[in-house]
Amino acid sequence: MQEIPLSNSDVSAIALTMYDLGMLIPNSESVPEQPEPIPGRETDCNLAVLGMPVVTVDEAISAYVSAFWTRQTWHPQNPTGIGWHKLRAADWIIGVPEAAAALSTLDHADANGTHIAGRVQERFAEWKAKPEIWDAWIALLRHAVDTARPLVMSTPDYEGPWAIAELLDAEDYRACA
């Protein structure tokens, strides 16, 4: 599995279930600030962030791109889960250490007899989302860890779901940041 299309309700149910199970961490205070594009070169900055060719990639553009991806990929040194902000908005990169920590918390909860299935059913019913999405999400997280590939909740490039959770290939500009 490489990707899952997700509605807003799906993402909400996933996030709240993860919160209930201790898989999300509230760390947004430490996230680096959004860098400001270079005045007069906003388009070049945006194109460079997207991995598109720009007229001139000089030190200023390189510094902007580096600051942008430092923010998008940021996580604590030793994460204990996935930062909640990464499920709140699209295009945040979920690193392998974050996914591994979240799965460890889930596996520990399961070993301690936490009623995971009941939480999933409750949260997904609350958001009118299909509980099978939870299984697909957990499978995607496990695949990310097993293959050492980050994942992202990206914005779709067509009308449809709110986001697409997808694994990043090594060649993807977002994985190389």
Side-chain angles (χ1 to χ4, degrees), residues 104-123:
S104 176
T105 300
L106 177 67
D107 294 341
H108 184 73
D110 196 30
N112 286 335
T114 302
H115 299 289
I116 295 170
R119 291 305 304 151
V120 170
Q121 290 295 329
E122 184 178 315
R123 284 298 191 182

Side-chain angles (χ1 to χ4, degrees), residues 138-153:
I138 297 303
L140 187 66
L141 287 177
R142 290 194 192 284
H143 193 58
V145 171
D146 292 345
T147 60
R149 291 166 57 196
L151 59 107
V152 64
M153 290 282 210

